[in-house]
Structures are given as structure tokens and as C-alpha cells.
Amino acid sequence: MSEQPRPASEASNEQIVGVSLKHAQMLAAQGRHDEALEALNPGLAVNPWSAELGGTRAWLLLTLWRLDEAQQTFEQLLGAHPELHDARRMLSITLQRQGDLGAAERTILGCLAAAPHEPLHRLQYARVLLAISAEPRDSRGNHVNRGNRSTRTLRNTARQQVDQALALAAGDAAAYEEAAHVLWSLGKPREAQDIAARALAEAPEHAGLLTLHAGLVTANAARPGTVNAHQEAVHATEMGKLLATDPQHRDARTALFAQLWHRSMTRIDAPVYLIAVAAMGIMFGFPGTAAAPSGVALWWAVAGVFGGVQWLRYRAAGQHVARGFLRSIAGSRPVDRARVWGERATWVGLLLCGVVAFVVRDAVAVRWVIVAMCALVLLAFACSLLWQLGYHARARQFEGASTDRAAVVRLSRHRRELVAVVVLRCLSVFALWALFGVVRAASGLDHSRSDVGAVVGLAASGMVLSPLIGWALTWATERRARRSLDAAIEVGAEAKPPAKWSPVLAALVAVVAVLGFVGAAASIPVLPNMHDSVGRYADPEPPVGDDGSDGTEEEPAEKACSGRTASRVSCQLDRMRERANTPIEIPQIEIPEIPEVVISER
């Protein structure tokens, strides 16, 4: 008996469903999930009960974090097709993201009861157990979903589920990827890296595994007790490999851009506080009325070493990245080129100020060196501010539009990183002023170059103001991005807004920093001050003094004549007169008596 031909309308509907499904899958593979969701509408219009269309729609809603719609879609799909255990597992993921851990655990246990040999079910159960183990206490101090299970019991059970899932995976790349994620959450990054490497041997072009493996290699490159320059270099290398494989890899572009942007920020901001450190050398180099060029050289060397470290750390991360990527981060607008030349002028100016301060002896010239260092701080602060102002334009260039959930998460993370920078620099400001006080006390409170405080004040205020302004701009951009999101999209705990008191505290810090900046700018020693009366600083005295002493330890040490030329000559003449009028004491020598010698005759 031959098969009866199907009606043309039914065949046409199946074609529409197939085309809609393939179109949506293609768009989802490119990361265009909103467009993929719309591409399903023609198929759903002709067959709203299609399991494939319904499952794909629910998964897209889950990916877009439209959790309420995703939960409703999964429940409707499971009501019509209760045998779809993968949909039930994704419903557990949805409930977990919503914070309903009890319902998520019950749902995934139902999956395991129906399909105990499915590795992804066991891995989702492990994720739920880890979430329950990290669940905070309620208002009564109790854990709602933990029951009598301890944290150790929950984590051990999660590890058992991972081991059982790996035994069942048998070449399943998705299962290996999920297992590596769970092991990383369990604090086992090296085991996770081994699992990811094993999976990549079977699926070398799997995008998720490549991204995960790069992150694990970076995490395992950390060396306890040392600076993380090596880890930064490894991270840049791994992200560069991902971009070489897929130039449009959004996660790699985002991670590499964030790393290089922050490393560039540290390098650009370095002169702001290094100039203040170098200025301490002027107080050491010109205490009172004498010059001590070794103090200038020492503090300039300290500033040079720290500046060199920042350049080396930037080079360690940037040398593994394509030059085009680095040039794109630096920017090509006229303001970007002006900032680059400003950075170079700052470093060259700092070097020239050090050379002049080392050889100069005139007090007025020293004051103008301090004025030049204040100008260098202002120039470095302007370059730092331009870098902060250009962040969002570059972020849109590398990471796409700022109106989706991923952009909100990225902005929230960037805001928190800037908060950490501001807090660290506030602590550094206290340390800088403490160092200024110690150096001034060591140089003599009455005679040290107090006008160096203008350089320190400008640097202390500028190093806080720049990231604080960046924080304010990021928070404003993040608020706009949150308002532009669909009301159904939930950003989750990884993009929490700042506390209500944060803007108030930031405003107070900004007011103090601005007042300090204005006060320091007003105290720049452009006009003559009391230090000009020194005239010319005296050169260091040689080991044998001008007064004729031979430098032996038997002679009492005398204070060296200093000041202007006339004062020094007068001081030396007075000392010569004192020595001429001092009587010379001739010690008396006692000659012992010699006994008489009697020679007897025989």
C-alpha cells in the first residue's frame, strides 16, 4: 500500500517551521539572540505546539535572562511534552537563576529519576548543590534549602556527581565543558584544565571549550606570593589565540580589552604619583643652605624604577597581542594622538627636571624646577582624565552595543574595579602625605623646601580624581543601559547596583579631592618665596675642609662654613684669627733620674 501524499498546506507549514528553526539557530550561533527569538515567530504562528520551536524559544529566553518568560515557556512545553527531560533540566537552570533553589533541586532530581545516565543532569545537580552550599542565611539565621546537610556534605556530593558524569560523558564535548566549569567552582582549576584539554583533543574547534580552557590556563598561571605579571601575560596570550581563531569572538575581545585598558590606565597614571615621589628628592637635595645632589639622584632613581616596572608589566601583556588591537585601544582621533604626545612629554620632562635639579645650585632655579614639576603633574592628570573619558567609546567599539544585559554586566564589573582603584589610591594618598612629612622632618622643618608640597598636593588629588570621574561616568552609563533593558530581563547578582550611600561617599571624596587640587594649584611657587633668600646653595664640603683641618679623628669636628660667598669667607677668617690667638700648650716632659753606677776595683 503506497503512502498517501500529504496536503500541500501541511507540507508548507513544515517548511516554514524548518526554515524558522534553522534561521534562529544561525543567528544564535552568531550571538544575535534577540534576532533569533524574532526569527521563530513565523514557525510558531503556523505550529505553536512544536516541541523544537518551543524548546529553542525557551532556551533563547533563558540566554537573554528573561527568566519569568523562560519559566512560563518551559512549563507550557513540559505540559505538552513531559518526555523532554532536557527542557526540564533547563527549567532547573531557570529556577536556580531566579533564586528558587529548592524548586531547582526538586526539578533536577526528577530529571535524574527519569534519565539517570544523562551526564548533563548530574552536572546541573552538582551546580544546584554548590548554590545551596553558598546560600546565605535568612532573617532567622537559618538556611532555607540546606536541611540537615553541611557545606562539606553538599560539596562532596557535588564532586561525586561530577565524577559520575565524567564516567558517562564518553566524548560529549558539552558535558566535558560543564564538568570543567563545576570543577572550577569547586576550587579545582588544574583538574578542570585537564578535563578541558582532554575535550579539546576530541573537539578542537569547540568555541565554549576554547574560551574555558583559556580562562583556566590564566587561572592556573597565578603564582602565590608574587606579582601577577606572568598571569597577565598568559591571559593576553590565551585571548590572542582565541582571536586568531575567531576575530569576532566577543568574550575574548571583551576580556582582552578590559585587561589592556586597565593596564594602560596604570601606566598612564604612573607619572602622577611618581613625580610627587621624585619631588621628595628636592627636599633631600636642598636642606637648609647646602646642596646634597645625592638625595636628588636617589629619589629620581626610585621614581624611575617604579615607572620602569609599570612599562615592563604593560609590555609583558601587550607583546602577545596583535599591534592592530593595541592601536585600536590607544585610539586614532586627534585627542588620542595629543594624549600620547602628552604622555611622552611627561616622561621626558621628568627626566630633564631630574638632571637640572642635580646640577643647579641657585635657589630661584630650584623653585622653577618645582614649578615645572607642578606643570608635569597637571599634564599627566590631563592625559589620565582623557583616558577615562574615552573608555565608553572604545568599549562600544570592542564589545558591541551597550543596551543588552552583557553590557550592563560589563559596566557593573568595570564600575566595581574603579571603586577598588579609588580605595587603593585613597590609601596611597595617606601614605604619600606621611612620606612627605617624614622627609620634611628629616630635612629640617625650618629650612626644607616646603614649596614641594604643591607638587605632592596636585599629585595626591589628581590620582584620586581621575578614577573617581571615570566611576561617575560609568555609573551614569550603566544606569542608562539598565533603563533601556527590557523589563523582563533580569541582570542577576553579578550586576548589582552600588549601595545607596556610595554616591554620597563618592561626592564627599570628590569635594575633598577638588579642594585639595585647587589649594595645591594656588600654592604653586610661581612668585618669589622665602627660599629665594638662600641665594646659592653651598656645594658639599670635601673631606679636608677649607679651614686647614686634616680630617683626623683627634681634632673636634667643626660646623662647615656655609651661605653666600661673603659669609663663608668671613666665617673662615674668624676661625683663622681664633686659632692665631689660641696659646699653644707645650707638654712638660719628666726625665727620670739615672741611678749612679759604682765600679769596684779588684
Side-chain angles (χ1 to χ4, degrees):
M1 183 177 179
S2 61
E3 184 179 354
Q4 295 292 330
R6 290 177 297 175
S9 59
E10 183 178 348
S12 177
N13 290 343
E14 289 184 1
Q15 290 178 354
I16 294 174
V17 170
V19 170
S20 297
L21 186 61
K22 290 181 180 180
H23 189 200
Q25 291 172 346
M26 180 190 68
L27 292 172
Q30 298 174 357
R32 300 156 62 182
H33 297 102
D34 288 310
E35 299 177 39
L37 194 62
E38 295 179 0
L40 293 174
N41 292 335
L44 289 172
V46 298
N47 188 1
W49 301 108
S50 170
E52 292 182 338
L53 291 176
T56 303
R57 182 175 186 276
W59 174 78
L60 288 170
L61 291 171
L62 176 61
T63 303
L64 291 169
W65 281 75
R66 296 166 61 170
L67 301 181
D68 291 338
E69 295 180 57
Q71 178 185 357
Q72 182 181 2
T73 305
F74 278 127
E75 290 175 348
Q76 292 176 353
L77 182 64
L78 290 170
H81 305 279
E83 72 281 0
L84 297 178
H85 302 303
D86 287 340
R88 197 175 302 277
R89 172 173 53 83
M90 286 190 285
L91 175 60
S92 174
I93 297 174
T94 304
L95 294 170
Q96 179 184 345
R97 290 185 179 181
Q98 290 176 319
D100 193 351
L101 299 180
E105 184 178 12
R106 291 190 296 271
T107 302
I108 195 61
L109 286 174
C111 292
L112 284 173
H117 301 295
E118 176 58 49
L120 290 176
H121 295 348
R122 294 192 176 276
L123 293 171
Q124 170 57 18
Y125 184 38
R127 279 190 177 272
V128 173
L129 292 175
L130 289 177
I132 293 174
S133 68
E135 182 185 20
R137 298 179 183 271
D138 60 10
S139 58
R140 298 181 179 180
N142 300 320
H143 294 286
V144 178
N145 300 295
R146 179 176 293 191
N148 296 325
R149 298 171 293 182
S150 64
T151 300
R152 183 175 181 179
T153 301
L154 290 167
R155 293 179 66 85
N156 288 339
T157 306
R159 179 56 194 263
Q160 293 172 4
Q161 295 297 321
V162 174
D163 293 338
Q164 294 174 10
L166 288 173
L168 298 170
D172 188 344
Y176 280 129
E177 179 186 359
E178 185 67 12
H181 275 295
V182 178
L183 284 172
W184 198 355
S185 300
L186 280 167
K188 307 290 183 181
R190 296 197 179 278
E191 293 184 39
Q193 183 178 340
D194 294 339
I195 297 298
R198 189 196 314 171
L200 281 174
E202 300 180 7
E205 297 183 358
H206 192 282
L209 282 172
L210 288 170
T211 305
L212 175 61
H213 185 263
L216 287 167
V217 170
T218 303
N220 290 321
R223 297 174 178 175
T226 61
V227 296
N228 58 351
H230 174 67
Q231 187 179 14
E232 290 181 356
V234 171
H235 180 266
T237 302
E238 294 299 321
M239 294 300 107
K241 291 178 181 178
L242 286 178
L243 289 175
T245 304
D246 181 9
Q248 300 301 321
H249 196 295
R250 181 172 181 178
D251 291 340
R253 289 170 63 87
T254 300
L256 190 56
F257 166 74
Q259 177 191 2
L260 293 176
W261 189 92
H262 281 278
R263 178 50 53 200
S264 298
M265 178 191 70
T266 305
R267 174 181 57 81
I268 293 170
D269 291 356
V272 177
Y273 52 86
L274 291 181
I275 293 172
V277 172
M280 306 291 181
I282 293 183
M283 287 197 294
F284 259 114
F286 302 95
T289 57
S294 60
V296 176
L298 174 63
W299 285 90
W300 247 267
V302 170
V305 168
F306 279 96
V309 168
Q310 297 302 330
W311 271 99
L312 288 176
R313 294 190 66 176
Y314 173 76
R315 289 293 301 168
Q319 66 180 352
H320 304 286
V321 182
R323 292 186 177 272
F325 197 93
L326 293 174
R327 285 195 296 267
S328 298
I329 293 179
S332 57
R333 299 174 301 173
V335 67
D336 297 322
R337 290 193 291 270
R339 190 203 71 248
V340 172
W341 282 105
E343 296 173 31
R344 297 171 181 172
T346 302
W347 288 106
V348 173
L350 179 58
L351 178 62
L352 292 177
C353 285
V355 173
V356 173
F358 185 79
V359 300
V360 76
R361 296 295 179 268
D362 186 75
V364 177
V366 173
R367 176 168 60 81
W368 282 109
V369 170
I370 296 174
V371 173
M373 296 182 74
C374 291
L376 290 177
V377 172
L378 293 174
L379 179 59
F381 172 71
C383 294
S384 175
L385 194 58
L386 288 175
W387 185 253
Q388 293 287 347
L389 295 176
Y391 168 77
H392 300 289
R394 292 181 178 84
R396 286 192 297 269
Q397 175 185 354
F398 284 93
E399 303 174 4
S402 59
T403 57
D404 58 358
R405 179 187 177 275
V408 174
V409 173
R410 183 256 304 167
L411 289 168
S412 177
R413 181 172 57 250
H414 181 66
R415 170 177 50 80
R416 293 194 299 270
E417 290 172 349
L418 287 178
V419 168
V421 171
V422 171
V423 172
L424 180 61
R425 293 193 180 180
C426 286
L427 297 176
S428 300
V429 165
F430 289 113
L432 187 62
W433 280 114
L435 180 63
F436 174 77
V438 171
V439 172
R440 187 178 178 189
S443 305
L445 294 176
D446 297 332
H447 304 289
S448 62
R449 300 282 322 199
S450 57
D451 45 2
V452 171
V455 181
V456 178
L458 287 173
S461 301
M463 63 191 292
V464 173
L465 271 177
S466 178
L468 191 60
I469 292 173
W471 175 88
L473 292 175
T474 302
W475 173 225
T477 307
E478 182 184 348
R479 292 180 63 183
R480 290 195 298 269
R482 287 177 183 271
R483 287 196 296 265
S484 64
L485 281 180
D486 192 321
I489 299 177
E490 300 182 25
V491 294
E494 56 185 331
K496 288 183 178 180
K500 294 182 179 180
W501 49 264
S502 295
V504 178
L505 181 60
L508 291 176
V509 174
V511 169
V512 174
V514 169
L515 291 177
F517 194 85
V518 173
S523 63
I524 296 176
V526 178
L527 300 177
N529 57 23
M530 62 180 182
H531 300 287
D532 293 355
S533 61
V534 176
R536 181 176 178 81
Y537 288 96
D539 289 315
E541 292 294 329
V544 178
D546 295 336
D547 53 5
S549 65
D550 57 1
T552 59
E553 296 181 358
E554 286 77 6
E555 295 186 4
E558 294 183 347
K559 185 177 180 181
C561 294
S562 60
R564 299 186 177 181
T565 304
S567 299
R568 294 177 61 200
V569 172
S570 175
C571 174
Q572 292 171 4
L573 290 174
D574 290 341
R575 289 185 179 180
M576 293 174 63
R577 292 192 193 99
E578 290 177 2
R579 290 192 182 93
N581 296 328
T582 302
I584 301 175
E585 296 182 1
I586 301 176
Q588 297 180 358
I589 302 174
E590 296 182 359
I591 301 175
E593 295 182 359
I594 300 175
E596 294 182 359
V597 178
V598 178
I599 302 175
S600 61
E601 295 181 358
R602 291 186 179 181

